[in-house]
Amino acid sequence: MIDTDVAVIGAGPYGLSATAYLRAAGMRTLTLGDPMSFWRAMPAGMVLRSNWSASSIADYRGPLSLDAYCANTGDRFGRPIPLNRFIAYGEWVQRKVAADVDRRRVLQVDRRSDDFLLALSDGEPVTARRVVVAGGIAPFAWRPPSLGDLTADVASHTADHADLTPFADRKVLVVGGGQSALESAALIREAGGEVEVLVRQDRIHWLHGGKYHRMLGRCAPLVYAPTDVGPLGLSRLVAIPDLFRKLPRRVQDPLAHRCIRPAGAAWLVPRLADVPLTLGCTIRGATPGPGGLRVELSDGSTRNVDHLLFGTGYRVDVHRYPFLGPDIKRELKLVNGYPVLGMGLEASVPGLHFLGAPASWSFGPVMRFVSGSWYAGREVTQSIVRGNDHHGHVEALSRPGSLRVFAPEYDPDVPREARDEEEFAGG
């Protein structure tokens, strides 16, 4: 039986961030998961919407940052950041902080009197005093329930495809007005497919591509946080989860919605110049036939297509994590599928912590993005270190760049290069 202080479930940006901080603070940590698996399942050819600093894991400066990766590997790439280079960066971080990552699947997590019991895919048990769930959003892909009977050959979610080139000679109706839907449409069109985008809202929100950032010049950091989540002003507020969580819920909800509403990057506009964008319209029904699908729209028109591709995002429901045991599910306090979290991102089940999108109801929209891993890794570690009476570490962990304090064995910090302001993609 494996025994550890902390078991981290997930080896994406949040799991790797938590591992980095926990191990730097001296905690015995077992990281379980397939590194960067969600990102490797995304369609090839995609690029990141977030800017340079916000795409760093664990911290935007210091030994695990994108700057450090480029300096230490010699890798160079343009902006926006290509998906395959971000995956390579994430795997580099994994080799730095979790070279011993355990790739076995976690089948079930059960709470015992004073610890947790994890069952792994090969039957070996693991006991842990704490469990950090960084399981990502893959289980939360959302499809319109009214179209749930359509089979995978005629309807799928963008999360189902690591390659969109099979749609090269097909007619595809893409549903959604956010980045995933719009970029998928661009990739299908560029591969040779015939594509149309159907958007429920009467307009598409295009990000400004750094226009206001350039106008503000050196004053831009006063109103735009390096986390790159949210528009001018709000960006700074939501970048401080401890502040966001103290706001009344009637204030939190509209702020969060404003920061994460569906939107597309400015650099997608020319790529979609010859793609029909049908706005203010929804699907009333879809009937499979020998030639594909006959789709009825709310404006009374119809489309005959080969495939429906849903870029309809993700809706958190932690009960859809298959590894949470039945007792844990019963004890978890939830709001609309989100766990209600306290200090240290700890759930109502003592010793169980949730990072990433499931933490966004309690700690704000930044938890939905890679840049939220900066706060989450530090915060969960502070909580666990404090609970294990390692008080000497707590103060140093409370500030950005603290990995440099705890991890002198890592590569030294790299001076931040001057960045082209064109890379900024804040909303």
Side-chain angles (χ1 to χ4, degrees):
M1 179 179 289
I2 301 173
D3 182 71
T4 188
D5 292 328
V6 187
V8 177
I9 302 176
Y14 277 87
L16 295 175
S17 176
T19 300
Y21 283 100
L22 287 164
R23 289 186 167 179
M27 306 302 300
R28 290 185 304 148
T29 305
L30 175 65
T31 305
L32 298 135
D34 184 8
M36 303 297 289
S37 59
F38 174 79
W39 299 86
R40 286 190 281 105
M42 292 173 65
M46 280 193 163
V47 295
L48 273 63
R49 195 181 79 180
S50 55
N51 69 21
W52 184 268
S53 68
S55 302
S56 286
I57 296 169
D59 204 345
Y60 69 99
R61 56 192 180 192
L64 299 180
S65 66
L66 266 171
D67 283 328
Y69 166 71
C70 290
N72 283 277
T73 64
D75 197 5
R76 293 291 182 270
F77 41 89
R79 322 302 188 260
I81 300 167
L83 173 64
N84 63 336
R85 309 305 269 275
F86 180 73
I87 293 170
Y89 159 61
E91 292 172 341
W92 175 82
V93 172
Q94 176 258 310
R95 292 192 296 272
K96 288 283 184 182
V97 305
D100 58 347
V101 64
D102 193 322
R103 297 170 189 259
R104 290 176 292 180
R105 215 158 34 93
V106 179
L107 298 182
Q108 187 159 314
V109 180
D110 292 302
R111 177 74 171 137
R112 305 197 301 184
S113 58
D114 56 358
D115 63 7
F116 293 86
L117 179 65
L118 288 70
L120 304 187
S121 53
D122 64 352
E124 183 171 13
V126 173
T127 59
R129 254 62 67 204
R130 301 260 185 166
V131 171
V132 174
V133 177
I137 59 173
F140 309 144
W142 188 82
R143 301 162 176 80
S146 61
L147 301 171
D149 293 337
L150 296 175
T151 57
D153 59 322
V154 294
S156 60
H157 194 278
T158 54
D160 299 328
H161 301 278
D163 182 7
L164 293 173
T165 57
F167 293 116
D169 299 317
R170 306 181 73 188
K171 184 181 290 188
V172 182
L173 182 61
V174 178
V175 181
Q179 181 72 14
S180 178
L182 297 170
E183 190 171 6
S184 294
L187 288 169
I188 292 171
R189 178 65 186 88
E190 290 160 1
E194 184 179 345
V195 63
E196 178 183 357
V197 178
L198 185 69
V199 182
R200 179 181 57 188
Q201 302 298 326
D202 58 6
R203 59 169 291 195
I204 293 176
H205 296 284
W206 297 107
L207 300 178
H208 300 299
K211 178 177 69 174
Y212 298 129
H213 187 268
R214 290 189 295 275
M215 289 171 56
L216 291 167
R218 294 182 180 275
C219 294
L222 297 176
V223 289
Y224 283 116
T227 46
D228 191 28
V229 176
L232 183 149
L234 294 186
S235 173
R236 275 291 172 190
L237 190 156
V238 300
I240 309 173
D242 286 331
L243 173 59
F244 180 91
R245 67 189 298 266
K246 292 176 182 177
L247 298 174
R249 178 55 56 180
R250 67 180 184 277
V251 176
Q252 288 182 1
D253 289 343
L255 283 182
H257 175 74
R258 177 61 184 86
C259 292
I260 62 172
R261 66 184 181 181
W267 42 261
L268 274 175
V269 175
R271 293 175 61 186
L272 293 169
D274 58 351
V275 172
L277 306 175
T278 301
L279 307 179
C281 202
T282 58
I283 295 177
R284 281 184 175 169
T287 307
L293 278 175
R294 177 180 172 83
V295 182
E296 300 175 16
L297 303 184
S298 58
D299 63 0
S301 64
T302 60
R303 302 289 190 275
N304 293 307
V305 299
D306 297 311
H307 199 88
L308 267 180
L309 183 63
F310 297 115
T312 44
Y314 300 81
R315 294 192 180 182
V316 172
D317 179 1
V318 295
H319 278 184
R320 298 179 70 177
Y321 280 138
F323 51 79
L324 292 179
D327 289 342
I328 287 178
K329 288 182 177 179
R330 280 193 295 270
E331 293 176 29
L332 276 176
K333 183 179 180 182
L334 304 178
V335 174
N336 297 325
Y338 292 87
V340 177
L341 306 179
M343 295 297 293
L345 297 95
E346 188 170 11
S348 54
V349 176
L352 182 65
H353 306 256
F354 286 89
L355 310 189
S360 60
W361 189 86
S362 296
F363 286 87
V366 74
M367 293 294 109
R368 295 177 177 270
F369 299 88
V370 172
S371 57
S373 69
W374 313 344
Y375 171 86
R378 289 196 306 269
E379 178 65 17
V380 73
T381 300
Q382 278 187 289
S383 175
I384 293 173
V385 164
R386 192 179 286 116
N388 284 270
D389 296 323
H390 294 171
H391 296 291
H393 293 309
V394 172
E395 182 180 353
L397 274 168
S398 65
R399 59 181 180 273
S402 55
L403 275 176
R404 289 174 292 178
V405 176
F406 284 97
E409 72 275 18
Y410 291 162
D411 299 318
D413 190 11
V414 179
R416 182 164 176 76
E417 301 173 4
R419 295 292 173 198
D420 185 352
E421 289 180 348
E422 291 293 336
E423 83 193 28
F424 190 87

